Amino acid sequence: MESTANNPHMKVVVIGAGLGGCACALALKNQGFEVVVYEKLRQFKRLGDSLGLGENALKLLRRWGGQQLYDTLTKIGNQAELMQIRRWQDGKILAQQPLMDMAGYIGHRGDYHEVFLQAVRDAGIEILMNHEIVAFDEDEPSVTLADGQEVTADVVIGADGIKSRARELVLGFKDHPRSSGYSCFRAYFPGSHLKEDPLCKDLTDHNCVNIWIGDDTHVVQNTLRGGEEFNWILTRKISHEKDLEITESWFQEGDMNEVFKCIGGLDERIVAAIKKTPNCLDWKICYRDPLPTWVSKSHKVVLLGDSCHPHLPTSAQGASQAAESSAVLAICLKLAGRDNVALATRTYEKLRFARTRQSQTNGEDLRDRWHSALKSVNEGIEIDPESIKMRNRPLYAFDAEADTMQRWNTVSSQVAEELKTGNISPLFETRATATVA
Ligand SMILES: Cc1cc2nc3c(=O)[nH]c(=O)nc-3n(C[C@H](O)[C@H](O)[C@H](O)COP(=O)(O)OP(=O)(O)OC[C@H]3O[C@@H](n4cnc5c(N)ncnc54)[C@H](O)[C@@H]3O)c2cc1C
């Protein structure tokens, strides 16, 4: 690796080869750093279902991986031009807007992941599978693998997902997920299950995205590959005490009889599709309060992606924001240089926090607007289509790299002051902050 004045052979360890870890590895490599990725799983399967990738992420990925990577990624996503937001009971279209206003390209998470992994390998970055990180020395910094091996680096990045171990180290305590008050049933299956049913024809003979909104509930449907693959996600408010217990898992099987109880009075076309669904997942929406910091006390272990800014499904920005964070962190490390990692990581968290909060709260706002819209109709008020549209488009114009270059001087000067006094201001005041030792 070539060394520059600001970058004398900086070595970065990335924990986790999810979409966030892969994007981070690409961004770091693009800035000329030595990167190694450690992933605890032996191998990846095609996990999850629909995931949105917005232009804010795609433009970065194109810079790091070229036009071919961009083209491959955009081909994975749904090619429909418009999406429809419909009334729960009869499917009447209440609003229609370009799919690009919503989630960008919605494709299968596993397909995106496979392309991300390949891009990392093509960039010559090593992904060590079956390598679980079990401990940290934040001062060195170093990580310890399950087999006892210790690996040192200049910076350690915890892109280790919603159940992050790195987050425990950064916070100094184990934080617990809390219920968002909502839960999802999710299913992804071959469209052939629905081919014979005339009621499903409208939903299966072409790529399309439809959303049915009801009282405290909504269903999103995504038909991909010209009808070869079909996905629905039913979100509803949790009403039972039992449901508030959080099992933070992407693998918990759902009970289709429970699903049937939630679709009373729903448009018969999507009901027909749900009734023919072979199986589904029960996903209690994992939610965490914003963190007071994303960086360890030594400033050398730093969080990225779901470990520090998980998103609700209605945000449709989890992976895209992880890509943006990757861009910002890589540039901060480059600008600060190897001898100034603290300045880089602390500036990174301050540059990123407000932006990720905006995209997180967009999702909460949309869910609330959808879940209450019909209440007004029942009171005789006509729905203004604008009031139920997704408002993600402004997020897409953002260029995380350009923004970092533009704000670096101002924000890093403030951070330098804080580092001098040792008085690092928290990103967010939480009750949990008070319990940090
Ligand atoms: C199984 C699964 C299914 C998902 N399905 C969807 C979906 O359908 N739609 C959607 O919008 N979002 C989905 N997501 C979330 C989405 O992938 C993320 O929001 C986004 O990609 C950013 O993720 P991340 O890389 O920060 O975290 P993750 O995608 O969770 O990746 C974290 C990685 O770190 C690895 N890891 C964890 N701990 C360690 C350790 N100690 N040592 C080494 N490696 C470790 C994990 O095995 C994992 O590969 C899913 C996530 C998962 C894990």
Side-chain angles (χ1 to χ4, degrees):
M1 182 185 66
E2 200 147 307
S3 89
T4 64
N6 270 350
N7 176 27
H9 301 291
M10 195 183 309
K11 181 180 172 188
V12 188
V13 158
V14 176
I15 308 170
L19 291 159
C22 288
C24 187
L26 289 172
L28 291 164
K29 177 80 181 186
N30 190 54
Q31 295 299 341
F33 299 121
E34 183 188 338
V35 193
V36 187
V37 185
Y38 292 91
E39 168 54 54
K40 73 175 175 187
L41 297 180
R42 205 174 285 272
Q43 66 178 74
F44 285 114
K45 296 189 182 132
R46 192 178 185 235
L47 294 175
D49 48 76
S50 292
L51 179 137
L53 213 51
E55 198 55 47
N56 52 324
L58 287 162
K59 74 176 73 156
L60 299 169
L61 291 155
R62 174 164 46 199
R63 258 174 231 157
W64 306 331
Q67 186 63 35
Q68 205 186 332
L69 174 60
Y70 180 92
D71 292 342
T72 311
L73 288 170
T74 51
K75 271 194 205 111
I76 289 172
N78 197 311
Q79 306 294 321
E81 202 184 315
L82 298 172
M83 63 163 191
Q84 287 76 31
I85 301 171
R86 297 171 180 273
R87 188 159 65 185
W88 181 265
Q89 49 272 38
D90 55 6
K92 180 188 167 197
I93 296 176
L94 301 171
Q96 184 158 258
Q97 67 184 129
L99 197 54
M100 289 301 129
D101 288 356
M102 181 203 181
Y105 292 90
I106 317 177
H108 194 289
R109 176 188 178 273
D111 296 345
Y112 282 131
H113 195 197
E114 200 179 303
V115 175
F116 272 51
L117 288 165
Q118 192 54 48
V120 172
R121 292 186 180 115
D122 289 347
I125 302 164
E126 199 170 10
I127 303 177
L128 294 160
M129 301 296 294
N130 197 18
H131 280 65
E132 182 177 8
I133 305 301
V134 294
F136 302 83
D137 178 334
E138 65 158 312
D139 294 312
E140 193 78 44
S142 68
V143 292
T144 307
L145 300 168
D147 66 3
Q149 193 194 328
E150 204 178 292
V151 183
T152 55
D154 294 293
V155 189
V156 172
I157 299 176
D160 51 348
I162 191 88
K163 294 185 187 174
S164 170
R165 201 174 242 149
R167 185 176 57 232
E168 270 178 57
L169 169 88
V170 162
L171 293 178
F173 59 91
K174 193 175 167 67
D175 70 329
H176 294 286
R178 86 176 156 76
S179 170
S180 65
Y182 294 83
S183 177
C184 280
F185 289 111
R186 317 175 63 115
Y188 198 103
F189 54 97
S192 54
H193 284 263
L194 312 176
K195 280 279 184 253
E196 304 303 317
D197 192 327
L199 274 175
C200 301
K201 192 173 175 306
D202 278 359
L203 306 177
T204 51
D205 62 1
H206 62 296
N207 282 8
C208 57
V209 175
N210 288 283
I211 294 144
W212 286 261
I213 58 173
D215 282 344
D216 291 328
T217 182
H218 70 270
V219 177
V220 177
Q221 161 266 321
N222 181 22
T223 300
L224 282 163
R225 301 187 178 182
E228 272 174 42
E229 302 195 345
F230 193 85
N231 160 239
W232 56 257
I233 303 172
L234 165 75
T235 300
R236 85 247 196 251
K237 195 165 189 161
I238 294 172
S239 50
H240 300 297
E241 225 14 59
K242 179 176 77 65
D243 287 335
L244 285 166
E245 291 162 19
I246 302 274
T247 313
E248 203 170 30
S249 166
W250 283 99
F251 305 101
Q252 192 168 305
E253 192 151 346
D255 177 350
M256 284 305 295
N257 289 319
E258 287 299 315
V259 177
F260 300 148
K261 287 184 201 160
C262 303
I263 54 173
L266 176 60
D267 180 356
E268 59 179 3
R269 291 168 294 178
I270 184 68
V271 166
I274 291 175
K275 287 206 163 147
K276 291 200 162 53
T277 302
N279 48 50
C280 73
L281 290 182
D282 181 354
W283 185 51
K284 305 279 180 284
I285 300 179
C286 305
Y287 202 71
R288 287 167 193 272
D289 290 324
L291 304 183
T293 179
W294 297 357
V295 180
S296 72
K297 283 197 181 117
S298 71
H299 316 294
K300 294 175 189 166
V301 179
V302 52
L303 306 177
L304 182 138
D306 278 11
S307 64
C308 57
H309 50 70
H311 282 68
L312 293 179
T314 37
S315 292
Q317 272 282 306
S320 300
Q321 289 300 318
E324 282 192 12
S325 289
S326 304
V328 176
L329 181 53
I331 291 197
C332 287
L333 287 167
K334 174 79 173 214
L335 291 174
R338 189 183 185 196
D339 296 333
N340 229 336
V341 165
L343 185 69
T345 54
R346 292 290 173 187
T347 303
Y348 152 75
E349 62 171 3
K350 290 210 160 45
L351 283 169
R352 287 301 292 150
F353 185 75
R355 167 90 179 155
T356 54
R357 277 306 286 152
Q358 184 200 350
S359 118
Q360 287 173 316
T361 50
N362 257 9
E364 294 167 36
D365 166 66
L366 179 69
R367 179 201 60 204
D368 293 345
R369 283 188 287 119
W370 281 351
H371 285 200
S372 58
L374 291 195
K375 287 175 188 152
S376 324
V377 173
N378 297 341
E379 286 159 18
I381 303 164
E382 189 77 14
I383 285 187
D384 169 7
E386 294 306 317
S387 71
I388 50 170
K389 285 187 181 173
M390 289 192 84
R391 296 174 185 157
N392 267 3
R393 189 176 276 275
L395 291 174
Y396 299 143
F398 188 76
D399 184 330
E401 291 185 325
D403 181 72
T404 306
M405 296 304 288
Q406 199 193 331
R407 292 200 292 141
W408 168 260
N409 282 342
T410 315
V411 180
S412 68
S413 316
Q414 288 162 6
V415 167
E417 274 308 305
E418 291 192 0
L419 285 168
K420 223 188 282 171
T421 59
N423 228 341
I424 312 280
S425 55
L427 299 174
F428 190 80
E429 298 282 358
T430 62
R431 271 177 293 141
T433 323
T435 67
V436 187

